[in-house]
Amino acid sequence: MSRRQQQRGLTVIELIMVILIIGVLSAFALPKFANLGSDDEAAKLDGVLGAVKSASGIVRSVYLANGSVDPTLEGQVFTTVNGYLDRDDVALVSGFTCGVPGTDDDQEFDCFTVGANSIVIGLDGRIDTADDGSACIKYTESAGTGPSSVATGVLSGSGTDCT
């Protein structure tokens, strides 16, 4: 009786074919996942947008509940303009720290004021005098009797506004 030989593992040719197939598949899949950075940046700004809107609503609600007195949240008194959150307190109430535009200060976001009543928030390192087209958030405090507003846009005017 002859004994049958059993094959164990892959032959060299089979191994090369498997590596080749994996290489071809990864070449098609790589472009789909290569631009994950922009998705991450959009998610960060969406998070800040939600935080700013929520903070603004909370401050307004507490202001009205307190009988038109600047609200105190967690021991901190926040300034309001016509009962709406003041632009200088937006980052503090929303829970993030603003860095200085044009510097590498290890903050996630840069903020700068526009005019007398707006603040622009963008990703760290994106706001400077030469950057146009990056996503940003603009908070405009109340003027007169109208409410404050929060809008998304892109940096414009050589990085000096968010429209």
Side-chain angles (χ1 to χ4, degrees), residues 7 9-19:
Q7 181 181 6
L10 300 172
T11 65
V12 174
I13 292 177
E14 290 171 331
L15 186 59
I16 290 172
M17 290 304 293
V18 167
I19 292 171

Side-chain angles (χ1 to χ4, degrees), residues 5-127:
Q5 288 186 355
Q6 291 183 350
Q7 181 181 6
R8 293 185 183 249
L10 300 172
T11 65
V12 174
I13 292 177
E14 290 171 331
L15 186 59
I16 290 172
M17 290 304 293
V18 167
I19 292 171
L20 182 66
I21 290 169
I22 291 173
V24 169
L25 289 175
S26 66
F28 285 106
L30 185 62
K32 169 125 177 78
F33 300 109
N35 197 10
L36 294 179
S38 65
D39 292 342
D40 178 45
E41 292 172 357
K44 283 182 185 178
L45 280 177
D46 283 346
V48 169
L49 178 64
V52 169
K53 285 181 176 181
S54 295
S56 181
I58 289 169
V59 167
R60 177 69 175 160
S61 298
V62 172
Y63 175 85
L64 293 173
N66 287 345
S68 300
V69 176
D70 281 349
T72 301
L73 301 170
E74 297 182 1
Q76 172 84 32
V77 177
F78 293 100
T79 307
T80 60
V81 177
N82 301 319
Y84 296 93
L85 183 61
D86 177 78
R87 70 152 185 206
D88 295 330
D89 288 340
V90 167
L92 184 60
V93 176
S94 301
F96 63 91
T97 305
C98 286
V100 178
T103 64
D104 185 17
D105 52 15
D106 295 328
Q107 299 296 331
E108 274 193 274
F109 304 98
D110 288 341
C111 304
F112 66 92
T113 57
V114 177
N117 61 353
S118 295
I119 186 170
V120 172
I121 304 160
L123 293 171
D124 184 35
R126 295 297 175 93
I127 297 176

